[in-house]
Amino acid sequence: MMRPYVIIVSAMSIDGRIASKIGYSRLSCPFDLKRLHEVRASVDAIMVGANTVINDDPSLTPRYVKAEKNPIRVVIDGRLRIPTTAKVIRDGEAPTIIVTTEMAPREKALEIARFGVEVWVMGRDRVDLGKTLERLYVERGVRKVLVEGGGRLNWELIKEGLVDEIRLTVSPYVFGAGTSFIEGEGYPTTSEGPRLRLRSVSVCECGNEVVLDYVVDREGIIKNGHVTT
Ligand SMILES: NC(=O)c1ccc[n+]([C@@H]2O[C@H](COP(=O)([O-])OP(=O)(O)OC[C@H]3O[C@@H](n4cnc5c(N)ncnc54)[C@H](OP(=O)(O)O)[C@@H]3O)[C@@H](O)[C@H]2O)c1
């Protein structure tokens, strides 16, 4: 299977949360936001989960940096729960693809399509993320995808072995509860999860955040800039 290179970028509290118990998620300083937008400007597509659109209503454009083009926005929404008022549907700033399943209401798909947004059905009751990435690669020429959460989508992608790199900003806050950076059934021990190799670590220009870059150790899998699994 040919698929794009997949990077998760996220900011988390020191206790590993990307959002508080009430869904508050503003953890990035202005430097970190600029860094995120630089990554946005360097990829072909940006992927998020349904809850992130419902809670944050992000526009997912690289507006804090000079970008040649806006990447395709891809929302994984198995039941088409996101509102049609969402910026990714309404603002027309970039192409958007909503990826869903056969379980989604047909009328909602038609309603979304009326805004010129594509709806892909990629599975019966779960979105097949591997096939979705493959389709983005083959039909849209997508070679690099930035995943901006949330925790549930991060877990699904990691569980499927579809993540190549993780860039994490640790912000100096404590939430104590809320959404974890990776939110799923979990692994019983360290042996079952992906093997990560620390590529770089730096202190943010603000002086109070740490930026970690981990790559998933999968020797020999990336060939000629393409990922084959
Ligand atoms: N700090 C940060 O950097 C950061 C970044 C992004 C988000 N966030 C925060 O994270 C929170 C959202 O995280 P979350 O874990 O609740 O949600 P999420 O990952 O944004 O979305 C999860 C939902 O996406 C759908 N989904 C994911 N994988 C799927 C699949 N394979 N097939 C079908 N549907 C799939 C599911 O919808 P269904 O249940 O309908 O099937 C699932 O409930 C928000 O509060 C947001 O503010 C923080």
Side-chain angles (χ1 to χ4, degrees):
M1 167 184 128
M2 296 290 264
R3 64 160 177 86
Y5 188 82
V6 174
I7 313 173
I8 297 181
V9 176
S10 196
M12 65 176 201
S13 60
I14 62 160
D15 53 332
R17 315 284 183 171
I18 57 172
S20 75
K21 61 182 179 183
I22 62 155
Y24 182 90
S25 63
R26 294 200 179 158
L27 287 165
S28 292
C29 72
F31 298 104
D32 197 50
L33 272 181
K34 180 142 185 283
R35 222 171 4 248
L36 173 66
H37 283 228
E38 273 159 10
V39 183
R40 284 184 181 174
S42 75
V43 298
D44 307 302
I46 303 173
M47 183 180 280
V48 292
N51 290 349
T52 296
V53 171
I54 292 165
N55 292 357
D56 300 351
D57 193 18
S59 54
L60 303 177
T61 56
R63 59 197 177 282
Y64 299 157
V65 296
K66 249 203 161 116
E68 275 168 32
K69 60 170 175 37
N70 287 345
I72 303 170
R73 303 178 289 198
V74 180
V75 181
I76 308 299
D77 185 0
R79 276 151 190 78
L80 291 181
R81 290 187 294 119
I82 66 165
T84 49
T85 51
K87 286 185 188 139
V88 290
I89 292 179
R90 291 286 181 112
D91 71 8
E93 293 280 322
T96 300
I97 301 169
I98 315 288
V99 187
T100 191
T101 65
E102 290 168 20
M103 309 299 280
R106 223 184 122 60
E107 317 78 68
K108 183 81 180 268
L110 293 171
E111 201 187 333
I112 291 171
R114 253 180 253 132
F115 292 98
V117 168
E118 269 181 77
V119 179
W120 288 3
V121 176
M122 298 297 295
R124 213 181 59 78
D125 56 355
R126 302 293 309 148
V127 169
D128 186 326
L129 295 166
K131 288 218 172 87
T132 302
L133 288 167
E134 190 175 19
R135 186 167 171 189
L136 286 167
Y137 184 99
V138 173
E139 290 185 15
R140 296 304 161 91
V142 170
R143 296 294 179 264
K144 217 174 198 190
V145 174
L146 161 63
V147 177
E148 288 195 37
R152 186 74 216 178
L153 178 63
N154 292 345
W155 164 257
E156 298 273 334
L157 287 163
I158 284 184
K159 187 182 67 175
E160 302 279 334
L162 297 169
V163 177
D164 303 294
E165 186 177 339
I166 296 171
R167 293 190 201 167
L168 257 180
T169 300
V170 183
S171 294
Y173 303 105
V174 174
F175 281 149
T179 309
S180 294
F181 167 52
I182 315 273
E183 187 79 53
E185 301 90 74
Y187 297 116
T189 73
T190 52
S191 319
E192 289 81 7
R195 271 187 302 156
L196 302 176
R197 188 162 43 81
L198 185 63
R199 188 153 75 177
S200 73
V201 52
S202 57
V203 176
C204 179
E205 293 91 325
C206 74
N208 213 19
E209 298 181 0
V210 179
V211 186
L212 303 165
D213 185 11
Y214 283 101
V215 285
V216 175
D217 227 341
R218 244 183 289 134
E219 236 168 79
I221 286 180
I222 300 162
K223 286 186 189 135
N224 309 324
H226 302 288
V227 185
T228 45
T229 51

